[in-house]
CSV table of all heavy atoms in Angstrom, one decimal:
chain,number,residue,atom,x,y,z
J,270,GLY,N,-10.4,-0.5,24.7
J,270,GLY,CA,-9.7,-1.2,25.8
J,270,GLY,C,-8.7,-0.2,26.5
J,270,GLY,O,-8.5,-0.3,27.7
J,271,ARG,N,-8.2,0.7,25.8
J,271,ARG,CA,-7.3,1.7,26.4
J,271,ARG,C,-8.0,2.6,27.4
J,271,ARG,O,-7.4,3.0,28.4
J,271,ARG,CB,-6.6,2.6,25.3
J,271,ARG,CG,-5.7,1.8,24.3
J,271,ARG,CD,-5.1,2.8,23.3
J,271,ARG,NE,-4.3,2.0,22.4
J,271,ARG,CZ,-3.0,1.7,22.6
J,271,ARG,NH1,-2.4,2.1,23.7
J,271,ARG,NH2,-2.3,1.1,21.6
J,272,LYS,N,-9.2,2.9,27.1
J,272,LYS,CA,-10.0,3.8,28.0
J,272,LYS,C,-10.5,3.0,29.2
J,272,LYS,O,-10.5,3.5,30.3
J,272,LYS,CB,-11.2,4.3,27.2
J,272,LYS,CG,-10.9,5.0,25.9
J,272,LYS,CD,-12.1,5.4,25.1
J,272,LYS,CE,-11.7,5.9,23.7
J,272,LYS,NZ,-12.9,6.4,23.0
J,273,LEU,N,-10.9,1.7,28.9
J,273,LEU,CA,-11.5,0.9,30.0
J,273,LEU,C,-10.5,0.6,31.1
J,273,LEU,O,-10.9,0.4,32.2
J,273,LEU,CB,-12.0,-0.4,29.4
J,273,LEU,CG,-13.3,-0.2,28.5
J,273,LEU,CD1,-13.6,-1.5,27.8
J,273,LEU,CD2,-14.5,0.2,29.4
J,274,GLU,N,-9.2,0.6,30.8
J,274,GLU,CA,-8.2,0.3,31.8
J,274,GLU,C,-8.4,1.3,33.0
J,274,GLU,O,-8.2,0.9,34.1
J,274,GLU,CB,-6.8,0.4,31.2
J,274,GLU,CG,-5.7,0.2,32.2
J,274,GLU,CD,-4.3,0.3,31.6
J,274,GLU,OE1,-4.2,0.4,30.4
J,274,GLU,OE2,-3.3,0.2,32.4
J,275,TYR,N,-8.7,2.6,32.6
J,275,TYR,CA,-8.8,3.6,33.7
J,275,TYR,C,-10.3,3.8,34.1
J,275,TYR,O,-10.5,4.0,35.3
J,275,TYR,CB,-8.3,4.9,33.1
J,275,TYR,CG,-6.8,4.7,32.7
J,275,TYR,CD1,-6.5,4.5,31.3
J,275,TYR,CD2,-5.8,4.7,33.6
J,275,TYR,CE1,-5.2,4.3,30.9
J,275,TYR,CE2,-4.5,4.4,33.2
J,275,TYR,CZ,-4.2,4.3,31.9
J,275,TYR,OH,-2.9,4.0,31.5
J,276,LEU,N,-11.2,3.6,33.3
J,276,LEU,CA,-12.6,3.7,33.6
J,276,LEU,C,-13.0,2.6,34.6
J,276,LEU,O,-13.6,2.9,35.7
J,276,LEU,CB,-13.5,3.7,32.4
J,276,LEU,CG,-13.4,4.9,31.5
J,276,LEU,CD1,-14.1,4.7,30.2
J,276,LEU,CD2,-13.8,6.2,32.1
J,277,LEU,N,-12.7,1.4,34.3
J,277,LEU,CA,-13.1,0.3,35.1
J,277,LEU,C,-12.3,0.3,36.4
J,277,LEU,O,-12.8,-0.2,37.5
J,277,LEU,CB,-12.9,-1.1,34.4
J,277,LEU,CG,-14.2,-1.7,33.8
J,277,LEU,CD1,-15.1,-2.2,34.9
J,277,LEU,CD2,-15.0,-0.7,32.9
J,278,GLY,N,-11.0,0.7,36.3
J,278,GLY,CA,-10.3,0.9,37.6
J,278,GLY,C,-10.9,1.8,38.6
J,278,GLY,O,-11.0,1.4,39.7
J,279,GLU,N,-11.5,2.9,38.1
J,279,GLU,CA,-12.2,3.8,39.0
J,279,GLU,C,-13.5,3.2,39.5
J,279,GLU,O,-13.8,3.3,40.7
J,279,GLU,CB,-12.4,5.1,38.3
J,279,GLU,CG,-13.1,6.2,39.2
J,279,GLU,CD,-13.3,7.5,38.6
J,279,GLU,OE1,-13.8,7.6,37.5
J,279,GLU,OE2,-12.8,8.5,39.2
J,280,ALA,N,-14.2,2.5,38.6
J,280,ALA,CA,-15.5,1.9,39.0
J,280,ALA,C,-15.2,0.9,40.1
J,280,ALA,O,-16.0,0.8,41.1
J,280,ALA,CB,-16.1,1.2,37.8
J,281,ILE,N,-14.2,0.1,40.0
J,281,ILE,CA,-13.8,-0.9,41.0
J,281,ILE,C,-13.4,-0.2,42.3
J,281,ILE,O,-13.9,-0.6,43.4
J,281,ILE,CB,-12.7,-1.8,40.5
J,281,ILE,CG1,-13.2,-2.7,39.4
J,281,ILE,CG2,-12.2,-2.7,41.6
J,281,ILE,CD1,-12.1,-3.4,38.6
J,282,GLU,N,-12.6,0.8,42.2
J,282,GLU,CA,-12.2,1.6,43.4
J,282,GLU,C,-13.4,2.1,44.2
J,282,GLU,O,-13.5,2.2,45.4
J,282,GLU,CB,-11.3,2.7,43.0
J,282,GLU,CG,-9.9,2.3,42.6
J,282,GLU,CD,-9.1,3.5,42.2
J,282,GLU,OE1,-9.6,4.6,42.1
J,282,GLU,OE2,-7.9,3.3,41.8
J,283,GLN,N,-14.5,2.6,43.4
J,283,GLN,CA,-15.7,3.1,44.0
J,283,GLN,C,-16.6,2.1,44.5
J,283,GLN,O,-17.7,2.4,45.1
J,283,GLN,CB,-16.3,4.1,43.0
J,283,GLN,CG,-15.5,5.3,42.7
J,283,GLN,CD,-16.2,6.3,41.7
J,283,GLN,OE1,-17.4,6.0,41.3
J,283,GLN,NE2,-15.5,7.3,41.4
J,284,GLY,N,-16.3,0.8,44.3
J,284,GLY,CA,-17.2,-0.3,44.7
J,284,GLY,C,-18.5,-0.3,43.9
J,284,GLY,O,-19.6,-0.6,44.5
J,285,ALA,N,-18.5,0.0,42.7
J,285,ALA,CA,-19.7,0.0,41.8
J,285,ALA,C,-20.4,-1.4,41.7
J,285,ALA,O,-19.7,-2.4,41.6
J,285,ALA,CB,-19.3,0.5,40.4
J,286,ASP,N,-21.7,-1.3,41.9
J,286,ASP,CA,-22.5,-2.5,41.6
J,286,ASP,C,-22.9,-2.6,40.2
J,286,ASP,O,-23.1,-3.7,39.6
J,286,ASP,CB,-23.8,-2.5,42.5
J,286,ASP,CG,-23.5,-2.4,44.0
J,286,ASP,OD1,-22.8,-3.3,44.5
J,286,ASP,OD2,-23.9,-1.4,44.6
J,287,VAL,N,-23.1,-1.5,39.6
J,287,VAL,CA,-23.6,-1.4,38.2
J,287,VAL,C,-22.9,-0.2,37.5
J,287,VAL,O,-22.7,0.8,38.0
J,287,VAL,CB,-25.1,-1.3,38.2
J,287,VAL,CG1,-25.6,0.0,38.9
J,287,VAL,CG2,-25.7,-1.3,36.7
J,288,VAL,N,-22.6,-0.5,36.2
J,288,VAL,CA,-22.1,0.6,35.3
J,288,VAL,C,-23.2,0.9,34.3
J,288,VAL,O,-23.8,0.0,33.8
J,288,VAL,CB,-20.8,0.1,34.6
J,288,VAL,CG1,-20.5,1.1,33.4
J,288,VAL,CG2,-19.6,0.0,35.5
J,289,VAL,N,-23.5,2.2,34.2
J,289,VAL,CA,-24.6,2.6,33.3
J,289,VAL,C,-24.0,3.5,32.2
J,289,VAL,O,-23.2,4.4,32.4
J,289,VAL,CB,-25.7,3.4,34.0
J,289,VAL,CG1,-26.7,3.9,33.1
J,289,VAL,CG2,-26.3,2.6,35.1
J,290,THR,N,-24.3,3.2,31.0
J,290,THR,CA,-23.8,3.9,29.8
J,290,THR,C,-24.9,4.0,28.7
J,290,THR,O,-26.1,3.6,29.0
J,290,THR,CB,-22.5,3.2,29.3
J,290,THR,OG1,-21.9,4.1,28.3
J,290,THR,CG2,-22.9,1.9,28.6
J,291,CYS,N,-24.6,4.5,27.6
J,291,CYS,CA,-25.5,4.5,26.5
J,291,CYS,C,-24.8,4.5,25.1
J,291,CYS,O,-23.5,4.7,25.1
J,291,CYS,CB,-26.4,5.8,26.6
J,291,CYS,SG,-25.6,7.3,26.5
J,292,GLY,N,-25.5,4.3,24.1
J,292,GLY,CA,-24.9,4.4,22.7
J,292,GLY,C,-25.8,3.8,21.7
J,292,GLY,O,-26.9,3.5,21.9
J,293,ALA,N,-25.2,3.6,20.5
J,293,ALA,CA,-25.9,2.9,19.4
J,293,ALA,C,-26.0,1.5,19.7
J,293,ALA,O,-25.2,0.9,20.4
J,293,ALA,CB,-25.2,3.2,18.1
J,294,LEU,N,-27.0,0.8,19.2
J,294,LEU,CA,-27.2,-0.6,19.4
J,294,LEU,C,-26.0,-1.5,19.1
J,294,LEU,O,-25.6,-2.4,19.8
J,294,LEU,CB,-28.4,-1.1,18.7
J,294,LEU,CG,-28.8,-2.6,18.8
J,294,LEU,CD1,-29.1,-2.9,20.3
J,294,LEU,CD2,-30.1,-2.9,18.0
J,295,GLN,N,-25.3,-1.1,18.0
J,295,GLN,CA,-24.1,-1.8,17.6
J,295,GLN,C,-22.8,-1.2,18.1
J,295,GLN,O,-21.8,-1.4,17.5
J,295,GLN,CB,-24.1,-1.9,16.0
J,295,GLN,CG,-25.1,-2.9,15.4
J,295,GLN,CD,-24.7,-4.4,15.6
J,295,GLN,OE1,-23.6,-4.7,16.1
J,295,GLN,NE2,-25.6,-5.3,15.2
J,296,SER,N,-22.9,-0.6,19.2
J,296,SER,CA,-21.7,0.1,19.8
J,296,SER,C,-20.5,-0.8,20.0
J,296,SER,O,-20.7,-1.8,20.7
J,296,SER,CB,-22.1,0.8,21.1
J,296,SER,OG,-21.0,1.2,21.8
J,297,ASN,N,-19.4,-0.4,19.5
J,297,ASN,CA,-18.1,-1.1,19.9
J,297,ASN,C,-17.7,-0.9,21.3
J,297,ASN,O,-17.2,-1.8,22.0
J,297,ASN,CB,-17.0,-0.7,19.0
J,297,ASN,CG,-17.2,-1.0,17.5
J,297,ASN,OD1,-17.4,-2.2,17.2
J,297,ASN,ND2,-17.2,0.0,16.7
J,298,PHE,N,-18.0,0.3,21.8
J,298,PHE,CA,-17.7,0.6,23.2
J,298,PHE,C,-18.5,-0.3,24.2
J,298,PHE,O,-17.9,-0.9,25.1
J,298,PHE,CB,-17.9,2.0,23.5
J,298,PHE,CG,-17.5,2.4,25.0
J,298,PHE,CD1,-16.2,2.3,25.4
J,298,PHE,CD2,-18.5,2.7,25.9
J,298,PHE,CE1,-15.9,2.6,26.7
J,298,PHE,CE2,-18.3,3.0,27.2
J,298,PHE,CZ,-16.9,2.9,27.6
J,299,ILE,N,-19.8,-0.4,24.0
J,299,ILE,CA,-20.6,-1.2,24.9
J,299,ILE,C,-20.2,-2.6,24.9
J,299,ILE,O,-20.1,-3.3,25.9
J,299,ILE,CB,-22.1,-1.0,24.5
J,299,ILE,CG1,-22.5,0.4,24.9
J,299,ILE,CG2,-22.9,-2.0,25.3
J,299,ILE,CD1,-24.0,0.7,24.4
J,300,ARG,N,-19.8,-3.1,23.7
J,300,ARG,CA,-19.3,-4.5,23.6
J,300,ARG,C,-18.1,-4.7,24.5
J,300,ARG,O,-18.0,-5.7,25.3
J,300,ARG,CB,-18.9,-4.8,22.2
J,300,ARG,CG,-18.3,-6.2,22.0
J,300,ARG,CD,-16.9,-6.2,21.4
J,300,ARG,NE,-16.9,-5.3,20.2
J,300,ARG,CZ,-15.7,-4.9,19.7
J,300,ARG,NH1,-14.6,-5.2,20.2
J,300,ARG,NH2,-15.7,-4.1,18.6
J,301,GLN,N,-17.1,-3.9,24.5
J,301,GLN,CA,-15.9,-4.0,25.3
J,301,GLN,C,-16.2,-3.7,26.8
J,301,GLN,O,-15.6,-4.4,27.7
J,301,GLN,CB,-14.7,-3.2,24.8
J,301,GLN,CG,-14.1,-3.8,23.5
J,301,GLN,CD,-12.7,-3.3,23.3
J,301,GLN,OE1,-12.5,-2.1,22.9
J,301,GLN,NE2,-11.7,-4.1,23.5
J,302,LEU,N,-17.0,-2.7,27.0
J,302,LEU,CA,-17.4,-2.3,28.4
J,302,LEU,C,-18.1,-3.5,29.0
J,302,LEU,O,-17.8,-3.8,30.2
J,302,LEU,CB,-18.2,-1.1,28.4
J,302,LEU,CG,-18.8,-0.7,29.7
J,302,LEU,CD1,-17.7,-0.3,30.7
J,302,LEU,CD2,-19.8,0.5,29.5
J,303,GLY,N,-19.0,-4.1,28.3
J,303,GLY,CA,-19.8,-5.2,28.9
J,303,GLY,C,-18.9,-6.4,29.2
J,303,GLY,O,-19.1,-7.0,30.3
J,304,ALA,N,-17.9,-6.7,28.4
J,304,ALA,CA,-17.0,-7.8,28.7
J,304,ALA,C,-16.2,-7.4,29.9
J,304,ALA,O,-15.9,-8.3,30.8
J,304,ALA,CB,-16.1,-8.1,27.5
J,305,ALA,N,-15.7,-6.2,30.0
J,305,ALA,CA,-14.9,-5.8,31.1
J,305,ALA,C,-15.7,-5.8,32.4
J,305,ALA,O,-15.1,-6.2,33.5
J,305,ALA,CB,-14.3,-4.3,30.9
J,306,CYS,N,-16.9,-5.4,32.4
J,306,CYS,CA,-17.8,-5.4,33.6
J,306,CYS,C,-18.0,-6.9,34.0
J,306,CYS,O,-18.0,-7.2,35.2
J,306,CYS,CB,-19.1,-4.8,33.3
J,306,CYS,SG,-19.1,-3.0,33.3
J,307,ALA,N,-18.2,-7.8,33.1
J,307,ALA,CA,-18.4,-9.2,33.4
J,307,ALA,C,-17.2,-9.8,34.1
J,307,ALA,O,-17.3,-10.5,35.1
J,307,ALA,CB,-18.7,-10.0,32.1
J,308,VAL,N,-16.0,-9.4,33.6
J,308,VAL,CA,-14.7,-9.9,34.2
J,308,VAL,C,-14.6,-9.3,35.6
J,308,VAL,O,-14.2,-10.0,36.6
J,308,VAL,CB,-13.5,-9.5,33.4
J,308,VAL,CG1,-12.2,-9.7,34.1
J,308,VAL,CG2,-13.5,-10.2,32.0
J,309,ALA,N,-15.0,-8.1,35.8
J,309,ALA,CA,-14.9,-7.4,37.1
J,309,ALA,C,-16.0,-7.8,38.1
J,309,ALA,O,-16.0,-7.3,39.3
J,309,ALA,CB,-14.8,-5.9,36.9
J,310,GLY,N,-17.1,-8.5,37.6
J,310,GLY,CA,-18.2,-8.8,38.4
J,310,GLY,C,-19.1,-7.7,38.7
J,310,GLY,O,-19.8,-7.6,39.7
J,311,ILE,N,-19.2,-6.8,37.7
J,311,ILE,CA,-20.1,-5.6,37.8
J,311,ILE,C,-21.2,-5.7,36.7
J,311,ILE,O,-20.8,-6.0,35.6
J,311,ILE,CB,-19.3,-4.3,37.7
J,311,ILE,CG1,-18.2,-4.2,38.7
J,311,ILE,CG2,-20.2,-3.1,37.7
J,311,ILE,CD1,-17.2,-3.0,38.5
J,312,ARG,N,-22.4,-5.4,37.1
J,312,ARG,CA,-23.5,-5.4,36.1
J,312,ARG,C,-23.3,-4.3,35.1
J,312,ARG,O,-22.9,-3.1,35.5
J,312,ARG,CB,-24.8,-5.3,36.8
J,312,ARG,CG,-26.0,-5.4,35.9
J,312,ARG,CD,-27.3,-5.7,36.6
J,312,ARG,NE,-28.5,-5.2,36.0
J,312,ARG,CZ,-29.2,-4.1,36.4
J,312,ARG,NH1,-28.9,-3.5,37.5
J,312,ARG,NH2,-30.2,-3.7,35.7
J,313,CYS,N,-23.6,-4.5,33.8
J,313,CYS,CA,-23.5,-3.4,32.8
J,313,CYS,C,-24.9,-3.2,32.3
J,313,CYS,O,-25.5,-4.1,31.7
J,313,CYS,CB,-22.5,-3.9,31.7
J,313,CYS,SG,-22.3,-2.6,30.4
J,314,LEU,N,-25.3,-2.0,32.4
J,314,LEU,CA,-26.7,-1.5,31.9
J,314,LEU,C,-26.5,-0.4,30.9
J,314,LEU,O,-25.8,0.6,31.2
J,314,LEU,CB,-27.5,-1.0,33.2
J,314,LEU,CG,-28.9,-0.5,33.0
J,314,LEU,CD1,-29.8,-1.5,32.3
J,314,LEU,CD2,-29.4,0.0,34.3
J,315,ALA,N,-27.1,-0.6,29.7
J,315,ALA,CA,-26.9,0.3,28.6
J,315,ALA,C,-28.2,0.7,28.0
J,315,ALA,O,-29.0,-0.2,27.5
J,315,ALA,CB,-25.9,-0.3,27.6
J,316,ALA,N,-28.5,2.0,27.9
J,316,ALA,CA,-29.6,2.5,27.1
J,316,ALA,C,-29.1,2.6,25.6
J,316,ALA,O,-28.1,3.3,25.4
J,316,ALA,CB,-30.0,3.9,27.6
J,317,VAL,N,-29.8,2.0,24.7
J,317,VAL,CA,-29.3,2.0,23.3
J,317,VAL,C,-30.5,2.3,22.3
J,317,VAL,O,-31.7,2.1,22.6
J,317,VAL,CB,-28.7,0.7,22.9
J,317,VAL,CG1,-27.4,0.4,23.7
J,317,VAL,CG2,-29.7,-0.5,23.1
J,318,MET,N,-30.1,2.9,21.2
J,318,MET,CA,-31.0,3.1,20.1
J,318,MET,C,-30.3,2.5,18.9
J,318,MET,O,-29.1,2.5,18.8
J,318,MET,CB,-31.3,4.6,19.8
J,318,MET,CG,-32.0,5.3,20.9
J,318,MET,SD,-32.1,7.1,20.5
J,318,MET,CE,-33.1,7.7,21.9
J,319,ALA,N,-31.1,2.0,17.9
J,319,ALA,CA,-30.5,1.5,16.7
J,319,ALA,C,-29.6,2.5,16.0
J,319,ALA,O,-28.5,2.2,15.6
J,319,ALA,CB,-31.6,0.9,15.8
J,320,LEU,N,-30.1,3.7,15.9
J,320,LEU,CA,-29.4,4.8,15.3
J,320,LEU,C,-29.8,6.2,15.8
J,320,LEU,O,-30.7,6.8,15.3
J,320,LEU,CB,-29.6,4.7,13.7
J,320,LEU,CG,-28.5,5.5,12.9
J,320,LEU,CD1,-27.1,5.0,13.2
J,320,LEU,CD2,-28.9,5.4,11.4
J,321,PRO,N,-29.1,6.6,16.9
J,321,PRO,CA,-29.4,8.0,17.4
J,321,PRO,C,-29.0,9.0,16.4
J,321,PRO,O,-28.2,8.8,15.5
J,321,PRO,CB,-28.6,8.0,18.7
J,321,PRO,CG,-28.1,6.6,19.0
J,321,PRO,CD,-28.1,5.9,17.6
J,322,TYR,N,-29.6,10.2,16.6
J,322,TYR,CA,-29.2,11.3,15.6
J,322,TYR,C,-29.3,12.6,16.4
J,322,TYR,O,-29.8,12.8,17.5
J,322,TYR,CB,-30.2,11.3,14.5
J,322,TYR,CG,-31.7,11.3,14.9
J,322,TYR,CD1,-32.3,12.5,15.2
J,322,TYR,CD2,-32.4,10.1,14.9
J,322,TYR,CE1,-33.7,12.5,15.5
J,322,TYR,CE2,-33.8,10.1,15.3
J,322,TYR,CZ,-34.4,11.3,15.6
J,322,TYR,OH,-35.7,11.4,15.9
J,323,GLU,N,-28.7,13.6,15.7
J,323,GLU,CA,-28.6,15.0,16.3
J,323,GLU,C,-29.9,15.8,16.1
J,323,GLU,O,-30.5,16.2,17.1
J,323,GLU,CB,-27.4,15.7,15.7
J,323,GLU,CG,-27.2,17.1,16.3
J,323,GLU,CD,-26.7,17.0,17.8
J,323,GLU,OE1,-26.2,15.9,18.2
J,323,GLU,OE2,-26.8,18.0,18.5
J,324,ASP,N,-30.3,16.0,14.8
J,324,ASP,CA,-31.5,16.8,14.5
J,324,ASP,C,-32.5,16.0,13.8
J,324,ASP,O,-33.7,16.2,14.1
J,324,ASP,CB,-31.1,18.0,13.7
J,324,ASP,CG,-30.1,18.9,14.4
J,324,ASP,OD1,-30.4,19.2,15.6
J,324,ASP,OD2,-29.1,19.3,13.8
J,325,SER,N,-32.1,15.1,12.9
J,325,SER,CA,-33.1,14.4,12.1
J,325,SER,C,-32.5,13.0,11.8
J,325,SER,O,-31.3,12.9,11.8
J,325,SER,CB,-33.5,15.1,10.8
J,325,SER,OG,-32.4,15.3,10.0
J,326,PRO,N,-33.3,12.0,11.6
J,326,PRO,CA,-32.8,10.6,11.4
J,326,PRO,C,-31.9,10.6,10.1
J,326,PRO,O,-32.2,11.3,9.1
J,326,PRO,CB,-34.1,9.8,11.2
J,326,PRO,CG,-35.1,10.6,11.9
J,326,PRO,CD,-34.8,12.0,11.7
J,327,ALA,N,-30.8,9.8,10.2
J,327,ALA,CA,-29.9,9.7,9.1
J,327,ALA,C,-30.5,8.8,8.1
J,327,ALA,O,-31.2,7.8,8.4
J,327,ALA,CB,-28.6,9.1,9.6
J,328,ILE,N,-30.3,9.1,6.8
J,328,ILE,CA,-30.7,8.2,5.7
J,328,ILE,C,-29.5,7.4,5.3
J,328,ILE,O,-28.3,7.8,5.6
J,328,ILE,CB,-31.3,9.0,4.6
J,328,ILE,CG1,-30.2,10.0,4.1
J,328,ILE,CG2,-32.6,9.7,5.0
J,328,ILE,CD1,-30.7,10.8,2.8
J,329,GLY,N,-29.7,6.4,4.6
J,329,GLY,CA,-28.6,5.6,4.1
J,329,GLY,C,-28.5,4.2,4.7
J,329,GLY,O,-29.3,3.9,5.6
J,330,THR,N,-27.6,3.4,4.2
J,330,THR,CA,-27.5,2.0,4.7
J,330,THR,C,-26.9,2.0,6.1
J,330,THR,O,-26.0,2.6,6.4
J,330,THR,CB,-26.5,1.3,3.8
J,330,THR,OG1,-27.0,1.4,2.4
J,330,THR,CG2,-26.5,-0.2,4.2
J,331,ARG,N,-27.6,1.2,7.0
J,331,ARG,CA,-27.2,1.1,8.4
J,331,ARG,C,-26.9,-0.3,8.7
J,331,ARG,O,-27.3,-1.2,8.0
J,331,ARG,CB,-28.3,1.7,9.3
J,331,ARG,CG,-29.6,0.9,9.2
J,331,ARG,CD,-30.6,1.3,10.3
J,331,ARG,NE,-31.1,2.7,10.2
J,331,ARG,CZ,-31.9,3.3,11.1
J,331,ARG,NH1,-32.2,2.6,12.2
J,331,ARG,NH2,-32.3,4.5,10.9
J,332,LEU,N,-26.4,-0.5,9.9
J,332,LEU,CA,-26.1,-1.9,10.4
J,332,LEU,C,-27.5,-2.5,10.8
J,332,LEU,O,-28.4,-1.8,11.1
J,332,LEU,CB,-25.2,-1.9,11.6
J,332,LEU,CG,-23.8,-1.3,11.3
J,332,LEU,CD1,-23.0,-1.2,12.6
J,332,LEU,CD2,-23.0,-2.1,10.2
J,333,THR,N,-27.5,-3.8,10.8
J,333,THR,CA,-28.7,-4.6,11.2
J,333,THR,C,-28.8,-4.5,12.7
J,333,THR,O,-27.9,-4.1,13.4
J,333,THR,CB,-28.6,-6.0,10.8
J,333,THR,OG1,-27.6,-6.7,11.5
J,333,THR,CG2,-28.4,-6.2,9.3
Side-chain angles (χ1 to χ4, degrees):
R271 296 182 180 275
K272 309 173 187 184
L273 290 169
E274 178 177 358
Y275 302 101
L276 295 171
L277 259 291
E279 185 176 52
I281 292 168
E282 287 176 359
Q283 293 181 4
D286 302 302
V287 58
V288 167
V289 177
T290 192
C291 63
L294 181 58
Q295 287 286 354
S296 166
N297 294 302
F298 178 70
I299 292 174
R300 178 239 309 165
Q301 286 200 286
L302 173 64
C306 285
V308 170
I311 302 172
R312 181 165 156 251
C313 183
L314 176 58
V317 296
M318 295 175 176
L320 197 59
Y322 53 84
E323 186 67 20
D324 297 312
S325 58
I328 59 173
T330 306
R331 61 168 71 186
L332 299 176
T333 66

